[in-house]
Amino acid sequence: MATTTRRRTVELPDHPDFLWVADQKPKKSYDVIIIGAGGHGLATAYYLAKNHGITNVAVIEKGWLAGGNMGRNTTIIRSNYLWDESAGIYDHSLKLWENLEEEVGYEMFFSQRGVMTLAHSVSDVRSKQRNFYANHVNAVDSVWLTPNEIKEIAPIVNISEDIRYPVMGATFQPRGGIAKHDWVAWGYAKAAADMGVDIIQNCEVTGFKIVDGKVQGIKTTQGDIAANKVGMVAAGHTSVLSKMAGFDVPLQSRPLQALVSELNEQVLDTVIMSGAVHVYVSQAHKGELVMGAGTDSYNSYAQRGGFHVIEHQLAAACELFPIFERAHMLRTWGGIVDIAPDASPIIGLTPVENLFINSGWGTGGFKATPGSGWVMAATIASGEPDALAKPYALDRFISGHLIDEHGAAGVAH
Amino acid sequence: MLHIPCPYCGPRDETEFHYGSEAHVAYPENSANLTDEEWAKFVFIRSNPKGWMAERWVHSAGCRRWFNVWRNTINHEFGPSYKPFTQQPKSPA
Protein backbone atom coordinates (compact mmCIF):
# COMPACT_ATOMS: atom_id res chain seq x y z
CA MET A 1 0.00 0.00 0.00
CA ALA A 2 1.06 3.57 -0.61
CA THR A 3 2.36 5.36 2.41
CA THR A 4 0.78 8.52 3.68
CA THR A 5 2.63 11.74 4.34
CA ARG A 6 0.22 12.82 7.05
CA ARG A 7 2.07 13.97 10.13
CA ARG A 8 1.46 11.79 13.14
CA THR A 9 0.41 13.51 16.32
CA VAL A 10 0.02 12.31 19.85
CA GLU A 11 -3.77 12.64 19.60
CA LEU A 12 -4.24 10.39 16.60
CA PRO A 13 -3.53 6.68 16.37
CA ASP A 14 -1.27 5.22 13.72
CA HIS A 15 -2.79 5.30 10.27
CA PRO A 16 -4.67 2.02 9.83
CA ASP A 17 -2.59 1.04 6.80
CA PHE A 18 0.31 0.42 9.16
CA LEU A 19 -1.59 -1.61 11.73
CA TRP A 20 -1.97 -4.80 9.75
CA VAL A 21 -0.94 -6.08 6.32
CA ALA A 22 -3.41 -4.22 4.13
CA ASP A 23 -3.09 -6.33 0.98
CA GLN A 24 -2.82 -9.71 2.71
CA LYS A 25 -3.56 -12.64 0.37
CA PRO A 26 -5.12 -15.82 1.74
CA LYS A 27 -3.02 -18.92 2.43
CA LYS A 28 -4.23 -22.33 1.20
CA SER A 29 -5.55 -23.33 4.60
CA TYR A 30 -6.12 -22.18 8.17
CA ASP A 31 -7.10 -23.73 11.47
CA VAL A 32 -9.95 -21.24 11.78
CA ILE A 33 -11.57 -18.83 9.32
CA ILE A 34 -13.74 -16.01 10.62
CA ILE A 35 -16.12 -14.52 8.04
CA GLY A 36 -16.53 -10.79 8.66
CA ALA A 37 -13.91 -8.25 9.76
CA GLY A 38 -16.25 -6.16 11.84
CA GLY A 39 -15.81 -5.65 15.56
CA HIS A 40 -17.18 -9.04 16.58
CA GLY A 41 -15.16 -10.94 13.97
CA LEU A 42 -11.92 -9.16 14.84
CA ALA A 43 -12.56 -9.63 18.57
CA THR A 44 -13.19 -13.33 17.94
CA ALA A 45 -9.85 -13.64 16.13
CA TYR A 46 -8.09 -11.69 18.87
CA TYR A 47 -9.44 -13.90 21.68
CA LEU A 48 -8.76 -17.08 19.68
CA ALA A 49 -5.11 -16.06 19.62
CA LYS A 50 -4.93 -14.49 23.08
CA ASN A 51 -7.03 -16.86 25.19
CA HIS A 52 -6.70 -20.11 23.26
CA GLY A 53 -3.32 -19.91 21.50
CA ILE A 54 -4.94 -20.45 18.08
CA THR A 55 -3.08 -18.11 15.73
CA ASN A 56 -3.37 -19.83 12.35
CA VAL A 57 -6.51 -17.77 11.75
CA ALA A 58 -7.84 -15.72 8.84
CA VAL A 59 -10.49 -13.01 9.07
CA ILE A 60 -12.20 -12.75 5.68
CA GLU A 61 -13.97 -9.51 4.74
CA LYS A 62 -15.97 -8.83 1.57
CA GLY A 63 -15.50 -5.07 1.83
CA TRP A 64 -13.06 -3.21 4.03
CA LEU A 65 -12.24 -3.69 7.69
CA ALA A 66 -14.97 -2.24 9.95
CA GLY A 67 -16.86 -0.86 6.94
CA GLY A 68 -20.17 -2.43 7.95
CA ASN A 69 -22.08 -1.86 11.16
CA MET A 70 -18.83 -1.47 13.13
CA GLY A 71 -18.27 1.85 11.38
CA ARG A 72 -21.95 2.84 11.35
CA ASN A 73 -23.21 2.48 14.91
CA THR A 74 -23.71 5.14 17.59
CA THR A 75 -21.06 3.57 19.89
CA ILE A 76 -23.25 3.21 23.00
CA ILE A 77 -22.02 0.78 25.66
CA ARG A 78 -24.18 -0.46 28.53
CA SER A 79 -25.19 -3.71 30.22
CA ASN A 80 -28.41 -2.85 32.07
CA TYR A 81 -30.58 -5.44 30.34
CA LEU A 82 -33.62 -7.12 31.85
CA TRP A 83 -32.98 -10.84 31.56
CA ASP A 84 -30.35 -12.87 33.40
CA GLU A 85 -28.89 -14.24 30.15
CA SER A 86 -28.47 -10.71 28.81
CA ALA A 87 -26.96 -9.39 32.03
CA GLY A 88 -24.51 -12.29 31.84
CA ILE A 89 -23.09 -11.63 28.41
CA TYR A 90 -23.46 -7.82 28.26
CA ASP A 91 -21.95 -7.24 31.71
CA HIS A 92 -19.08 -9.59 30.92
CA SER A 93 -18.56 -7.46 27.86
CA LEU A 94 -18.63 -4.23 29.87
CA LYS A 95 -16.03 -5.65 32.29
CA LEU A 96 -13.81 -6.41 29.30
CA TRP A 97 -14.30 -2.86 27.98
CA GLU A 98 -13.05 -1.50 31.32
CA ASN A 99 -9.56 -2.93 30.71
CA LEU A 100 -9.56 -3.18 26.93
CA GLU A 101 -7.33 -0.24 25.99
CA GLU A 102 -4.59 -1.38 28.38
CA GLU A 103 -4.93 -5.02 27.35
CA VAL A 104 -4.88 -4.38 23.61
CA GLY A 105 -2.41 -1.51 23.91
CA TYR A 106 -4.42 0.87 21.78
CA GLU A 107 -6.36 4.08 22.46
CA MET A 108 -10.14 3.62 22.02
CA PHE A 109 -11.51 6.72 23.78
CA PHE A 110 -13.60 4.49 26.03
CA SER A 111 -15.51 6.92 28.22
CA GLN A 112 -17.74 5.78 31.11
CA ARG A 113 -19.94 8.85 31.05
CA GLY A 114 -23.10 6.95 32.00
CA VAL A 115 -26.14 5.94 29.98
CA MET A 116 -29.57 7.31 30.83
CA THR A 117 -32.76 5.67 29.57
CA LEU A 118 -35.82 7.91 29.82
CA ALA A 119 -39.38 6.88 30.72
CA HIS A 120 -42.31 8.86 29.30
CA SER A 121 -45.50 7.29 30.62
CA VAL A 122 -46.76 5.42 33.65
CA SER A 123 -46.33 2.05 31.96
CA ASP A 124 -42.91 3.12 30.70
CA VAL A 125 -41.91 4.03 34.30
CA ARG A 126 -43.12 0.66 35.55
CA SER A 127 -41.23 -1.30 32.92
CA LYS A 128 -38.04 0.73 33.45
CA GLN A 129 -38.29 0.26 37.21
CA ARG A 130 -38.72 -3.46 36.70
CA ASN A 131 -35.55 -3.31 34.64
CA PHE A 132 -33.83 -1.31 37.38
CA TYR A 133 -34.70 -3.90 40.05
CA ALA A 134 -33.63 -6.76 37.76
CA ASN A 135 -30.28 -5.04 37.31
CA HIS A 136 -29.80 -4.92 41.08
CA VAL A 137 -30.54 -8.62 41.40
CA ASN A 138 -27.90 -9.28 38.74
CA ALA A 139 -25.34 -6.93 40.38
CA VAL A 140 -25.42 -4.61 37.36
CA ASP A 141 -25.05 -0.97 38.44
CA SER A 142 -28.25 0.97 37.98
CA VAL A 143 -29.78 4.10 39.48
CA TRP A 144 -33.35 5.38 39.31
CA LEU A 145 -33.55 9.11 38.57
CA THR A 146 -36.43 11.55 39.08
CA PRO A 147 -36.91 14.32 36.50
CA ASN A 148 -35.04 16.81 38.72
CA GLU A 149 -32.14 14.38 39.12
CA ILE A 150 -32.10 13.93 35.34
CA LYS A 151 -31.87 17.71 34.98
CA GLU A 152 -28.88 17.81 37.33
CA ILE A 153 -26.95 15.31 35.23
CA ALA A 154 -28.10 16.65 31.85
CA PRO A 155 -29.32 20.27 32.11
CA ILE A 156 -30.36 20.40 28.44
CA VAL A 157 -33.18 17.88 28.87
CA ASN A 158 -36.66 19.42 28.76
CA ILE A 159 -38.49 18.11 31.86
CA SER A 160 -41.64 20.18 31.33
CA GLU A 161 -44.85 18.24 31.96
CA ASP A 162 -46.51 19.97 29.02
CA ILE A 163 -44.81 18.19 26.15
CA ARG A 164 -45.96 15.30 24.03
CA TYR A 165 -43.62 12.83 25.72
CA PRO A 166 -42.96 14.21 29.22
CA VAL A 167 -39.90 12.88 31.04
CA MET A 168 -41.18 11.00 34.09
CA GLY A 169 -37.99 9.32 35.24
CA ALA A 170 -35.00 7.37 33.98
CA THR A 171 -32.71 4.49 34.68
CA PHE A 172 -29.05 5.42 34.72
CA GLN A 173 -26.06 3.13 34.40
CA PRO A 174 -22.95 5.06 35.51
CA ARG A 175 -20.56 2.42 34.09
CA GLY A 176 -22.07 2.77 30.62
CA GLY A 177 -20.69 5.12 28.02
CA ILE A 178 -19.19 5.31 24.56
CA ALA A 179 -15.97 4.41 22.70
CA LYS A 180 -14.58 5.39 19.33
CA HIS A 181 -15.75 2.54 17.13
CA ASP A 182 -13.11 2.71 14.36
CA TRP A 183 -10.34 2.65 16.92
CA VAL A 184 -11.88 -0.33 18.68
CA ALA A 185 -11.79 -2.26 15.39
CA TRP A 186 -8.27 -1.07 14.59
CA GLY A 187 -7.03 -1.95 18.08
CA TYR A 188 -8.39 -5.49 17.85
CA ALA A 189 -7.09 -5.84 14.27
CA LYS A 190 -3.61 -4.67 15.18
CA ALA A 191 -3.38 -6.87 18.28
CA ALA A 192 -4.69 -9.92 16.36
CA ALA A 193 -2.36 -9.29 13.41
CA ASP A 194 0.59 -8.93 15.82
CA MET A 195 -0.18 -12.45 17.07
CA GLY A 196 -0.22 -13.87 13.53
CA VAL A 197 -3.84 -13.54 12.38
CA ASP A 198 -4.28 -12.81 8.64
CA ILE A 199 -6.82 -10.09 7.82
CA ILE A 200 -7.99 -10.47 4.22
CA GLN A 201 -10.12 -7.66 2.78
CA ASN A 202 -11.99 -7.49 -0.54
CA CYS A 203 -12.59 -11.22 -0.31
CA GLU A 204 -16.25 -12.23 -0.57
CA VAL A 205 -17.44 -15.68 0.44
CA THR A 206 -19.31 -17.36 -2.43
CA GLY A 207 -19.88 -20.80 -0.91
CA PHE A 208 -18.85 -23.45 1.58
CA LYS A 209 -17.09 -26.74 1.07
CA ILE A 210 -19.13 -29.17 3.16
CA VAL A 211 -18.42 -32.92 3.12
CA ASP A 212 -20.62 -35.37 5.08
CA GLY A 213 -22.18 -32.53 7.05
CA LYS A 214 -18.79 -31.16 8.09
CA VAL A 215 -17.31 -27.89 6.88
CA GLN A 216 -13.93 -28.24 5.14
CA GLY A 217 -13.40 -24.68 3.95
CA ILE A 218 -14.87 -21.79 2.02
CA LYS A 219 -15.05 -20.59 -1.56
CA THR A 220 -14.24 -16.94 -2.10
CA THR A 221 -13.63 -14.36 -4.80
CA GLN A 222 -9.92 -14.90 -4.06
CA GLY A 223 -10.12 -18.69 -4.43
CA ASP A 224 -10.86 -21.67 -2.22
CA ILE A 225 -9.49 -21.68 1.33
CA ALA A 226 -9.46 -24.80 3.50
CA ALA A 227 -10.20 -24.62 7.21
CA ASN A 228 -10.83 -26.97 10.12
CA LYS A 229 -13.38 -24.59 11.61
CA VAL A 230 -15.32 -21.62 10.26
CA GLY A 231 -17.13 -18.88 12.20
CA MET A 232 -19.80 -16.74 10.54
CA VAL A 233 -19.78 -13.25 12.06
CA ALA A 234 -21.52 -11.44 9.23
CA ALA A 235 -24.37 -9.40 10.83
CA GLY A 236 -26.93 -8.42 8.17
CA HIS A 237 -25.58 -10.94 5.65
CA THR A 238 -25.91 -13.98 7.92
CA SER A 239 -29.04 -15.18 6.08
CA VAL A 240 -27.14 -15.09 2.78
CA LEU A 241 -24.28 -17.17 4.23
CA SER A 242 -26.50 -19.68 6.00
CA LYS A 243 -28.40 -20.27 2.76
CA MET A 244 -25.06 -21.15 1.10
CA ALA A 245 -24.38 -23.56 3.96
CA GLY A 246 -27.82 -25.13 3.63
CA PHE A 247 -29.67 -24.18 6.81
CA ASP A 248 -32.21 -21.55 7.88
CA VAL A 249 -31.78 -18.80 10.46
CA PRO A 250 -34.66 -16.82 11.99
CA LEU A 251 -33.23 -13.45 11.04
CA GLN A 252 -34.56 -10.44 9.18
CA SER A 253 -32.19 -7.82 7.71
CA ARG A 254 -33.36 -4.24 8.18
CA PRO A 255 -31.85 -0.77 7.74
CA LEU A 256 -30.91 1.10 10.91
CA GLN A 257 -30.06 4.76 10.43
CA ALA A 258 -27.88 7.17 12.36
CA LEU A 259 -26.89 10.79 11.92
CA VAL A 260 -24.27 13.26 13.07
CA SER A 261 -24.18 17.03 13.50
CA GLU A 262 -21.51 19.61 12.89
CA LEU A 263 -19.06 20.25 15.74
CA ASN A 264 -20.68 22.00 18.69
CA GLU A 265 -19.62 23.18 22.11
CA GLN A 266 -19.90 20.42 24.70
CA VAL A 267 -23.48 20.39 25.98
CA LEU A 268 -24.00 16.73 26.86
CA ASP A 269 -21.52 14.65 28.86
CA THR A 270 -23.62 11.54 29.20
CA VAL A 271 -25.59 9.27 26.84
CA ILE A 272 -29.37 9.68 26.70
CA MET A 273 -31.71 7.11 25.21
CA SER A 274 -35.44 7.01 24.85
CA GLY A 275 -36.97 3.85 23.46
CA ALA A 276 -40.48 5.32 23.51
CA VAL A 277 -39.67 8.20 21.16
CA HIS A 278 -36.77 6.54 19.30
CA VAL A 279 -34.01 8.93 20.27
CA TYR A 280 -30.56 8.08 21.43
CA VAL A 281 -27.86 10.70 21.54
CA SER A 282 -24.37 11.33 22.80
CA GLN A 283 -21.79 13.98 22.05
CA ALA A 284 -18.51 12.76 20.62
CA HIS A 285 -15.17 13.99 21.89
CA LYS A 286 -14.75 16.51 19.10
CA GLY A 287 -18.28 17.86 19.63
CA GLU A 288 -20.52 16.15 17.09
CA LEU A 289 -23.94 15.10 18.30
CA VAL A 290 -24.25 11.43 17.38
CA MET A 291 -27.84 10.24 17.11
CA GLY A 292 -29.58 7.05 16.22
CA ALA A 293 -33.02 6.58 14.72
CA GLY A 294 -35.28 3.53 14.67
CA THR A 295 -35.11 0.74 12.12
CA ASP A 296 -36.96 1.10 8.86
CA SER A 297 -39.90 -1.29 8.72
CA TYR A 298 -38.93 -3.35 5.69
CA ASN A 299 -36.26 -5.92 4.77
CA SER A 300 -33.28 -4.47 2.97
CA TYR A 301 -29.62 -4.95 2.16
CA ALA A 302 -29.22 -1.42 0.76
CA GLN A 303 -27.50 0.29 3.75
CA ARG A 304 -29.92 3.20 3.54
CA GLY A 305 -33.39 4.00 4.80
CA GLY A 306 -36.21 6.52 4.50
CA PHE A 307 -35.81 10.15 5.48
CA HIS A 308 -39.11 10.16 7.35
CA VAL A 309 -37.47 7.92 9.96
CA ILE A 310 -34.82 10.60 10.50
CA GLU A 311 -37.49 13.31 10.57
CA HIS A 312 -39.46 11.45 13.25
CA GLN A 313 -36.31 10.99 15.31
CA LEU A 314 -35.30 14.66 15.03
CA ALA A 315 -38.79 15.89 15.93
CA ALA A 316 -38.60 13.96 19.20
CA ALA A 317 -34.99 15.05 19.78
CA CYS A 318 -35.89 18.73 19.37
CA GLU A 319 -38.71 18.46 21.87
CA LEU A 320 -36.57 16.64 24.44
CA PHE A 321 -33.54 18.87 23.85
CA PRO A 322 -34.79 22.30 22.68
CA ILE A 323 -31.18 23.49 22.25
CA PHE A 324 -30.79 21.02 19.36
CA GLU A 325 -33.20 23.02 17.20
CA ARG A 326 -30.30 25.17 16.05
CA ALA A 327 -27.88 22.33 15.40
CA HIS A 328 -27.13 21.42 11.81
CA MET A 329 -27.07 17.74 11.01
CA LEU A 330 -24.31 16.95 8.53
CA ARG A 331 -24.72 13.34 7.51
CA THR A 332 -27.09 10.42 7.79
CA TRP A 333 -26.30 6.83 6.90
CA GLY A 334 -27.66 3.34 7.34
CA GLY A 335 -26.38 -0.09 8.25
CA ILE A 336 -28.05 -3.46 7.79
CA VAL A 337 -28.86 -5.12 11.09
CA ASP A 338 -29.91 -8.74 11.54
CA ILE A 339 -32.85 -8.98 13.92
CA ALA A 340 -33.95 -12.19 15.60
CA PRO A 341 -37.57 -12.70 16.71
CA ASP A 342 -36.62 -12.06 20.36
CA ALA A 343 -34.10 -9.29 19.53
CA SER A 344 -31.33 -11.32 21.16
CA PRO A 345 -28.22 -12.73 19.47
CA ILE A 346 -27.75 -16.22 18.05
CA ILE A 347 -24.39 -17.69 19.07
CA GLY A 348 -23.09 -21.22 18.90
CA LEU A 349 -23.18 -24.37 16.81
CA THR A 350 -25.04 -24.86 13.53
CA PRO A 351 -26.44 -27.94 11.77
CA VAL A 352 -23.10 -28.09 9.91
CA GLU A 353 -20.28 -29.55 12.00
CA ASN A 354 -17.41 -27.15 12.75
CA LEU A 355 -19.37 -24.21 11.33
CA PHE A 356 -20.24 -21.71 14.05
CA ILE A 357 -22.60 -18.74 14.08
CA ASN A 358 -22.51 -15.38 15.83
CA SER A 359 -25.34 -13.15 14.64
CA GLY A 360 -28.63 -11.52 15.50
CA TRP A 361 -27.09 -8.64 17.45
CA GLY A 362 -29.65 -6.45 15.73
CA THR A 363 -29.65 -2.82 16.75
CA GLY A 364 -27.32 -3.20 19.74
CA GLY A 365 -24.19 -5.12 18.87
CA PHE A 366 -21.42 -2.57 19.37
CA LYS A 367 -21.52 -2.67 23.17
CA ALA A 368 -21.12 -6.43 23.06
CA THR A 369 -18.02 -6.44 20.85
CA PRO A 370 -15.54 -7.73 23.47
CA GLY A 371 -17.93 -10.19 25.11
CA SER A 372 -19.19 -11.50 21.80
CA GLY A 373 -15.66 -12.15 20.57
CA TRP A 374 -14.75 -13.73 23.90
CA VAL A 375 -17.60 -16.29 23.92
CA MET A 376 -17.34 -16.96 20.16
CA ALA A 377 -13.61 -17.70 20.48
CA ALA A 378 -14.26 -20.05 23.41
CA THR A 379 -17.06 -21.77 21.48
CA ILE A 380 -14.91 -22.27 18.38
CA ALA A 381 -11.84 -23.39 20.35
CA SER A 382 -13.67 -26.05 22.37
CA GLY A 383 -16.38 -26.95 19.86
CA GLU A 384 -18.93 -26.56 22.68
CA PRO A 385 -21.01 -23.47 23.52
CA ASP A 386 -19.38 -21.19 26.08
CA ALA A 387 -21.43 -20.97 29.30
CA LEU A 388 -22.45 -17.35 28.63
CA ALA A 389 -23.33 -18.17 25.01
CA LYS A 390 -25.29 -21.34 25.72
CA PRO A 391 -28.72 -19.66 26.17
CA TYR A 392 -28.26 -18.03 22.75
CA ALA A 393 -28.19 -21.27 20.78
CA LEU A 394 -30.02 -21.53 17.46
CA ASP A 395 -32.29 -24.26 18.84
CA ARG A 396 -33.97 -21.92 21.34
CA PHE A 397 -36.50 -21.15 18.61
CA ILE A 398 -37.51 -24.80 18.68
CA SER A 399 -37.42 -25.25 22.47
CA GLY A 400 -39.20 -21.92 23.03
CA HIS A 401 -36.58 -20.60 25.46
CA LEU A 402 -36.56 -17.12 23.94
CA ILE A 403 -34.67 -14.24 25.55
CA ASP A 404 -37.22 -11.56 24.90
CA GLU A 405 -35.30 -8.30 25.02
CA HIS A 406 -37.69 -6.77 22.48
CA GLY A 407 -40.09 -5.84 25.21
CA ALA A 408 -37.28 -5.10 27.61
CA ALA A 409 -35.14 -2.88 25.43
CA GLY A 410 -37.59 -1.41 22.96
CA VAL A 411 -35.97 -0.28 19.76
CA ALA A 412 -33.04 1.54 21.29
CA HIS A 413 -31.10 -1.58 22.17
CA MET B 1 -38.93 7.25 1.27
CA LEU B 2 -40.39 4.41 -0.74
CA HIS B 3 -43.08 5.14 -3.31
CA ILE B 4 -45.25 2.06 -2.97
CA PRO B 5 -47.57 0.94 -5.79
CA CYS B 6 -50.89 0.13 -4.13
CA PRO B 7 -52.86 -2.01 -6.61
CA TYR B 8 -56.07 -0.20 -5.60
CA CYS B 9 -54.90 3.44 -5.34
CA GLY B 10 -51.68 3.67 -7.34
CA PRO B 11 -48.30 4.82 -6.04
CA ARG B 12 -48.32 6.53 -2.64
CA ASP B 13 -45.73 7.60 -0.04
CA GLU B 14 -44.40 4.93 2.31
CA THR B 15 -45.72 6.79 5.39
CA GLU B 16 -49.27 5.82 4.34
CA PHE B 17 -48.43 2.11 4.70
CA HIS B 18 -47.51 -0.51 7.24
CA TYR B 19 -45.27 -3.44 6.44
CA GLY B 20 -46.49 -7.03 6.60
CA SER B 21 -43.26 -8.93 5.84
CA GLU B 22 -42.97 -11.91 3.53
CA ALA B 23 -46.04 -12.81 1.45
CA HIS B 24 -47.55 -16.26 0.89
CA VAL B 25 -46.68 -17.74 4.30
CA ALA B 26 -49.59 -20.12 4.67
CA TYR B 27 -50.83 -21.44 8.01
CA PRO B 28 -49.73 -25.07 8.16
CA GLU B 29 -52.17 -27.82 7.35
CA ASN B 30 -52.55 -30.59 9.96
CA SER B 31 -51.34 -28.15 12.60
CA ALA B 32 -52.19 -30.59 15.40
CA ASN B 33 -49.59 -33.00 14.07
CA LEU B 34 -46.66 -30.58 13.66
CA THR B 35 -43.38 -31.22 15.44
CA ASP B 36 -41.64 -28.47 17.39
CA GLU B 37 -39.18 -28.09 14.49
CA GLU B 38 -42.03 -27.60 12.04
CA TRP B 39 -43.72 -25.05 14.29
CA ALA B 40 -40.44 -23.16 14.68
CA LYS B 41 -40.08 -23.05 10.92
CA PHE B 42 -43.59 -21.65 10.45
CA VAL B 43 -43.43 -19.14 13.31
CA PHE B 44 -39.85 -17.88 13.08
CA ILE B 45 -38.23 -18.67 9.73
CA ARG B 46 -38.70 -16.24 6.83
CA SER B 47 -36.63 -16.22 3.68
CA ASN B 48 -34.95 -12.78 4.09
CA PRO B 49 -33.63 -12.82 0.50
CA LYS B 50 -30.99 -10.49 -0.90
CA GLY B 51 -32.76 -9.57 -4.15
CA TRP B 52 -36.39 -9.83 -5.23
CA MET B 53 -38.89 -10.52 -2.50
CA ALA B 54 -42.69 -10.86 -2.52
CA GLU B 55 -43.97 -9.00 0.51
CA ARG B 56 -47.17 -7.67 2.06
CA TRP B 57 -48.13 -4.08 2.80
CA VAL B 58 -51.34 -2.55 4.12
CA HIS B 59 -52.39 0.89 2.89
CA SER B 60 -53.33 2.04 6.43
CA ALA B 61 -53.81 5.74 5.65
CA GLY B 62 -55.45 5.08 2.28
CA CYS B 63 -57.79 2.31 1.21
CA ARG B 64 -56.86 0.22 4.29
CA ARG B 65 -56.48 -2.88 2.20
CA TRP B 66 -53.74 -5.51 2.21
CA PHE B 67 -51.86 -6.39 -0.96
CA ASN B 68 -48.68 -8.06 -2.18
CA VAL B 69 -45.82 -6.59 -4.15
CA TRP B 70 -42.44 -7.61 -5.52
CA ARG B 71 -39.57 -5.45 -4.23
CA ASN B 72 -35.81 -5.75 -4.63
CA THR B 73 -34.06 -5.64 -1.24
CA ILE B 74 -30.76 -4.62 -2.84
CA ASN B 75 -31.93 -1.30 -4.31
CA HIS B 76 -35.60 -0.90 -3.16
CA GLU B 77 -36.89 -1.09 -6.75
CA PHE B 78 -40.53 -2.20 -6.99
CA GLY B 79 -41.86 -4.86 -9.32
CA PRO B 80 -45.55 -5.58 -9.91
CA SER B 81 -48.05 -5.31 -7.06
CA TYR B 82 -51.06 -7.61 -6.91
CA LYS B 83 -54.21 -8.21 -4.90
CA PRO B 84 -54.53 -11.10 -2.45
CA PHE B 85 -55.94 -14.36 -3.83
CA THR B 86 -54.90 -13.43 -7.37
CA GLN B 87 -52.24 -15.14 -9.45
CA GLN B 88 -48.76 -14.11 -8.29
CA PRO B 89 -46.83 -12.41 -11.12
CA LYS B 90 -43.43 -13.88 -11.88
CA SER B 91 -40.39 -12.51 -10.05
CA PRO B 92 -38.96 -9.62 -12.11
CA ALA B 93 -35.50 -11.22 -11.84
Side-chain angles (χ1 to χ4, degrees), chain A residues 22 30 42 53 56 65 94 99 109 113 127 143 145 195 219 251 274-275 287-288 310 328 400:
Chain A
Y30 291 92
L42 293 166
N56 186 22
L65 187 140
L94 182 45
N99 288 309
F109 267 169
R113 55 184 58 195
S127 93
V143 182
L145 301 177
M195 288 186 284
K219 298 165 185 171
L251 293 169
S274 165
E288 312 98 306
I310 301 287
H328 297 124

Side-chain angles (χ1 to χ4, degrees), chain A residues 80 114-119 125 128-136 139-146 149-150 152-153 169-176:
Chain A
N80 53 350
V115 172
M116 194 186 285
T117 308
L118 304 178
V125 166
K128 296 287 185 308
Q129 287 191 335
R130 178 188 180 206
N131 207 107
F132 158 73
Y133 292 124
N135 294 154
H136 275 254
V140 173
D141 62 317
S142 187
V143 182
W144 179 259
L145 301 177
T146 64
E149 289 166 336
I150 292 168
E152 273 172 36
I153 293 174
T171 57
F172 185 61
Q173 183 177 27
R175 285 164 65 232

Side-chain angles (χ1 to χ4, degrees), chain A residues 298-316:
Chain A
Y298 47 82
N299 290 34
S300 171
Y301 289 84
Q303 292 188 316
R304 59 188 157 84
F307 193 73
H308 63 286
V309 176
I310 301 287
E311 189 181 16
H312 175 76
Q313 191 274 343
L314 281 176

Side-chain angles (χ1 to χ4, degrees), chain A residues 215-294:
Chain A
V215 76
Q216 311 273 319
I218 58 172
K219 298 165 185 171
T220 78
T221 49
Q222 295 193 29
D224 294 358
I225 314 171
N228 297 330
K229 295 178 178 181
V230 177
M232 308 193 311
V233 194
H237 275 73
T238 303
S239 296
V240 177
L241 285 176
S242 69
K243 244 170 230 136
M244 290 176 194
F247 63 93
D248 295 322
V249 286
L251 293 169
Q252 297 288 293
S253 298
R254 298 259 159 89
L256 179 66
Q257 299 186 79
L259 54 158
V260 68
S261 77
E262 63 195 350
L263 305 185
N264 291 303
E265 291 293 320
Q266 292 289 338
V267 292
L268 182 64
D269 61 358
T270 185
V271 181
I272 300 188
M273 312 176 66
S274 165
V277 296
H278 293 189
V279 173
Y280 35 111
V281 58
S282 67
Q283 191 167 19
H285 306 78
K286 281 189 297 181
E288 312 98 306
L289 296 168
V290 181
M291 298 194 199

Side-chain angles (χ1 to χ4, degrees), chain A residues 81-101:
Chain A
Y81 282 78
L82 177 65
W83 300 107
D84 297 353
E85 296 88 345
S86 311
I89 195 164
Y90 288 105
D91 207 54
H92 178 63
S93 193
L94 182 45
K95 284 172 185 152
L96 292 172
W97 277 114
E98 287 173 330
N99 288 309
L100 194 57
E101 289 165 302

Side-chain angles (χ1 to χ4, degrees), chain A residues 153-166:
Chain A
I153 293 174
I156 63 169
V157 178
N158 180 2
I159 58 166
S160 163
E161 291 175 3
D162 296 325
I163 60 176
R164 174 66 183 83
Y165 296 103

Side-chain angles (χ1 to χ4, degrees), chain A residues 180-199:
Chain A
K180 197 158 170 60
H181 50 198
D182 297 335
W183 297 10
V184 175
W186 298 346
Y188 270 125
K190 179 183 189 306
D194 286 349
M195 288 186 284
V197 171
D198 283 358
I199 295 166

Side-chain angles (χ1 to χ4, degrees), chain A residues 237 239-240 243 248-254 296-302 304 306-308 341 397-398 402, chain B residues 1-2 14-15 19 21 36-37 40-41 44-51 53 55 57 71 73-76:
Chain A
H237 275 73
S239 296
V240 177
K243 244 170 230 136
D248 295 322
V249 286
L251 293 169
Q252 297 288 293
S253 298
R254 298 259 159 89
D296 284 71
S297 65
Y298 47 82
N299 290 34
S300 171
Y301 289 84
R304 59 188 157 84
F307 193 73
H308 63 286
F397 298 98
I398 295 169
L402 304 189
Chain B
M1 188 185 299
L2 303 180
E14 179 191 340
T15 45
Y19 192 52
S21 295
D36 288 351
E37 285 81 2
K41 201 171 166 60
F44 296 122
I45 303 288
R46 297 292 179 270
S47 62
N48 196 24
K50 185 176 183 177
M53 173 179 183
E55 62 189 15
W57 291 86
R71 186 178 57 90
T73 61
I74 297 170
N75 57 13
H76 300 173

